């Protein structure tokens, strides 16, 4: 008696990229073409290096925001917590006699603490993430002014500004902060796409009840995500301090919105469970390219905000269309 032939897997059908993936890429390509025809300086290596420097710390913040949004959360305190981390590093290293390395670690611990505190308010008190982090925004804003005496902190030691140093690649100066930003994106991409914790992040954001029934500890994962995001804010704080050379209590005022903009433009759904951290990097680059290009051709900053707002609405609309078709 002949044995039946083993079943073969059906060939995969070719699928076009989703609208949420294609939209940001098309927007970036159009922007590059338009700005390159309007300004001869736009396509230079020096200008592209400048764009990456300008977006570096915001793009790193956006990694943490991506992790949080993927579990259907949000963090409105992100920029202010980063600013506090920078203040702690700067003040300890310049006014308290603490070694720069310990000052940096203290800054990381500070930002991680507030990420952890946000998670406790959300998981234990059941306060919605929007409200919890909005309240934390006000609290940390007051802490920044009190801790610094509403004064910037300057004369930082070289260890705190090292990420602002540059090296040459083909005549183009690139900062070490830019390299660190790209490395962090590769690490975040690997964790989210190739590890079990990364898959759990997507599962919780996509369907919390199904994730709970499958044995994923949702509250514990939420605590981990917000705390890890806090560590990422600390790295962004070090990059900001290195770029500006000061600890500034007024820093980070708009970075919560800028990070969300990068996440949304990169195709991550605000409803959680869908997105890619590399898309967030693309979103951050889109914002940087538009701002840089508009400045080069002499467009007023008010129109830069206008165009950014239009891009955000378009990205969310494309996400909604994609969800309905999915």
């Amino acid at each position: 008696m002949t044995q039946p032939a083993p079943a073969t897997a059906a060939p995969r059908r070719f699928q076009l990229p989703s609208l949420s993936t294609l939209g940001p890429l098309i927007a970036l390509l159009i922007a590059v073409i338009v700005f390159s025809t309007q300004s001869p300086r736009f396509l230079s290596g020096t200008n592209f290096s400048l764009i990456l420097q300008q977006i570096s710390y915001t793009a790193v913040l956006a990694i943490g925001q991506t992790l949080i949004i993927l579990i259907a959360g949000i963090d409105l305190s992100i920029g202010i917590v980063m600013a506090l981390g920078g203040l702690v590093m700067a003040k300890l290293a310049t006014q308290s006699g603490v070694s720069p390395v310990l000052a940096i670690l203290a800054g990381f611990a500070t930002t991680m603490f507030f990420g952890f505190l946000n998670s406790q308010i959300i998981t234990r008190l059941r306060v919605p993430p929007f409200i919890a982090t909005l309240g934390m925004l006000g609290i940390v804003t007051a802490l920044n002014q009190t801790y610094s005496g509403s004064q910037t902190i300057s004369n930082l030691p070289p260890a705190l500004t090292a990420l602002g140093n540059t090296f040459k690649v083909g005549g183009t100066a690139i900062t070490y902060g830019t390299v660190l930003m790209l490395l962090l994106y590769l690490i975040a991409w690997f964790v989210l796409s190739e590890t079990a914790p990364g898959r759990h992040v997507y599962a919780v954001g996509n369907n919390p009840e199904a994730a709970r029934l499958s044995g994923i500890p949702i509250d514990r994962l939420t605590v981990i995500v917000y705390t890890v995001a806090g560590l990422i804010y600390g790295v962004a704080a070090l990059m900001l301090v290195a770029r500006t050379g000061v600890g500034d209590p007024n820093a980070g005022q708009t970075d919560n919105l800028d990070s969300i903009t990068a996440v949304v433009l990169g195709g991550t759904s605000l409803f959680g469970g869908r997105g890619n951290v590399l898309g967030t990097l693309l979103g951050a680059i889109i914002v940087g390219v538009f701002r840089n290009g508009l400045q080069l051709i002499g467009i007023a900053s008010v129109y830069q905000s206008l165009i950014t707002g239009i891009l955000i609405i378009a990205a969310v609309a494309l996400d909604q269309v994609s969800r309905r078709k999915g």
Side-chain angles (χ1 to χ4, degrees), residues 73-243:
I74 199 163
D75 190 351
L76 299 181
S77 66
I78 183 169
I80 299 301
V81 169
M82 173 194 68
L84 179 58
L87 286 171
V88 169
M89 295 176 192
K91 189 168 184 177
L92 289 179
T94 60
Q95 300 178 13
S96 301
V98 176
S99 73
V101 172
L102 288 179
I104 291 170
L105 292 177
F108 289 173
T110 300
T111 56
M112 288 179 69
F113 169 76
F114 281 99
F116 175 79
L117 185 57
N118 277 332
S119 73
Q120 294 301 300
I121 295 171
I122 292 166
T123 58
R124 292 184 180 273
L125 301 182
R126 299 302 173 186
V127 177
F130 182 92
I131 300 301
T133 58
L134 180 62
M136 195 61 66
L137 168 64
I139 293 169
V140 180
T141 298
L143 282 175
N144 287 352
Q145 299 298 326
T146 303
Y147 181 69
S148 66
S150 300
Q151 300 293 319
T152 59
I153 303 170
S154 56
N155 300 318
L156 306 183
L160 264 65
T161 59
L163 290 177
N165 296 337
T166 62
F167 61 95
K168 291 289 186 73
V169 175
T172 299
I174 299 174
T175 65
Y176 290 101
T178 298
V179 176
L180 177 59
M181 173 193 73
L182 297 175
L183 179 61
L184 289 174
Y185 268 93
L186 287 176
I187 293 172
W189 168 81
F190 177 81
V191 171
L192 286 172
S193 61
E194 301 296 329
T195 69
R199 290 188 287 272
H200 291 171
V201 167
Y202 282 101
V204 169
N206 187 55
N207 191 325
E209 183 60 20
R212 185 186 66 81
L213 292 175
S214 67
I216 297 174
I218 296 177
D219 285 352
R220 186 190 306 170
L221 183 66
T222 300
V223 171
I224 292 172
V225 166
Y226 273 88
T227 305
V228 169
L231 174 60
I232 294 171
Y233 305 163
V235 177
L238 180 60
M239 295 173 68
L240 174 61
V241 167
R243 176 165 172 75

Side-chain angles (χ1 to χ4, degrees), residues 270-319:
L270 287 174
F271 300 96
R274 294 176 54 183
N276 188 312
V277 72
L278 296 183
T280 298
L281 176 59
L282 177 62
I285 292 173
I286 290 173
V287 174
V289 164
F290 268 90
R291 289 180 177 173
N292 176 270
L294 292 170
Q295 288 173 354
L296 287 178
I297 63 178
I299 300 298
S301 59
V302 63
Y303 295 106
Q304 298 175 30
S305 300
L306 172 66
I307 292 174
T308 301
I310 293 172
L311 287 173
I312 294 171
I313 294 172
V316 175
L318 286 173
D319 175 55

